[in-house]
Amino acid sequence: MGPLQLEGIPTWLESLFTSELAFAVLLGICILEGAMMLRFMPSELVVPAALALIGSSIPKAIAIVAVAVVGTTIGQFLLFCLVRRAGREYVIQKRWFPLTESRLERFDGWFDRWGGIAVAASNTMLVVRGLLTVPAGLSEMDGRTFLVLSTLGSLSFQLILAALYLFGGYLLAL
C-alpha cells in the first residue's frame, strides 16, 4: 500500500481508488468533503490515500492535488450557494452539517473579525476546515472572491498533506 499505512480507508474505497475511475472517485470524494458531507473517512486521509493507492510519482501527485483542490472548491462553493439561498437555519437543521448554532456563532465572530482571509486560513486548518463557508455565504462576499479564497486555502491544505505523505515516505525509505 505504499510507505505509509492508511488503515482508516474503507475496503470499497480502496478498490475504487485502484480502478480506472480513481480520479473521478477522488473528485467526487473531494466535492463531498468540501460540502461537509464526507462522513466515511477523515478529510486529512483523502490525499494521502489517493497518493498511496493511485501513485505518488511527481506527475500523479500533482494531478491528485489538482483534482483534490478542484473538488473541495466545488463542494465549498455549492455549500456557499446553498447557505446564501436557504439561510443559516436551514443548514444547521440538516443532519449532515457538523456544527451546532453556538459553535457556528464562534465562526461568525472569526469571519467578522478577519473577513475573507479567514476563509482561506480555515481551509488550511484541520479542525475548522471549511467551516467559515457558512458565515461567508451569509455575508456580502462576492462568489468570485469566495472561490479564490477557498481555492487558495484548499491548495495549501492539499499541498501540505501531499508533502507530509511524500516526505514521510522518503524518511521511512531511508
Side-chain angles (χ1 to χ4, degrees):
M1 183 131 89
L4 300 179
Q5 296 300 312
L6 301 172
E7 296 169 2
I9 302 171
T11 54
W12 61 268
L13 184 57
E14 185 177 336
S15 65
L16 286 173
F17 267 147
T18 56
S19 74
E20 304 80 37
L21 301 172
F23 284 101
V25 170
L26 177 61
L27 180 66
I29 288 170
C30 289
I31 290 171
L32 289 174
E33 191 258 324
M36 295 186 182
M37 296 177 70
L38 186 68
R39 295 288 178 252
F40 51 86
M41 71 186 288
S43 62
E44 63 272 12
L45 278 184
V46 175
V47 165
L51 289 166
L53 298 169
I54 296 172
S56 58
S57 66
I58 296 300
K60 283 190 178 178
I62 291 169
I64 287 167
V65 167
V67 169
V69 169
V70 168
T72 55
T73 302
I74 289 170
Q76 285 189 352
F77 189 67
L78 291 172
L79 180 59
F80 175 87
C81 292
L82 175 68
V83 169
R84 177 150 290 167
R85 182 177 200 126
R88 174 192 194 100
E89 291 75 28
Y90 173 82
V91 175
I92 290 176
Q93 292 172 357
K94 296 301 173 188
R95 287 183 44 205
W96 54 264
F97 192 71
L99 286 180
T100 62
E101 178 70 35
S102 62
R103 279 198 67 206
L104 194 52
E105 286 177 14
R106 270 192 284 167
F107 295 117
D108 287 337
W110 291 6
F111 187 80
D112 291 342
R113 181 172 181 187
W114 299 102
I117 195 72
V119 172
S122 76
N123 280 349
T124 303
M125 296 184 241
L126 283 177
V127 178
V128 297
R129 181 157 165 65
L131 293 174
L132 272 93
T133 300
V134 175
L138 295 170
S139 74
E140 300 294 319
M141 182 178 282
D142 178 61
R144 286 187 209 112
T145 302
F146 176 81
L147 276 172
V148 168
L149 294 168
S150 176
T151 301
L152 289 173
S154 291
L155 178 62
S156 66
F157 181 75
Q158 306 302 358
L159 282 173
I160 290 168
L161 291 176
L164 287 173
Y165 176 83
L166 295 171
F167 185 66
Y170 171 77
L171 288 178
L172 289 173
L174 291 177

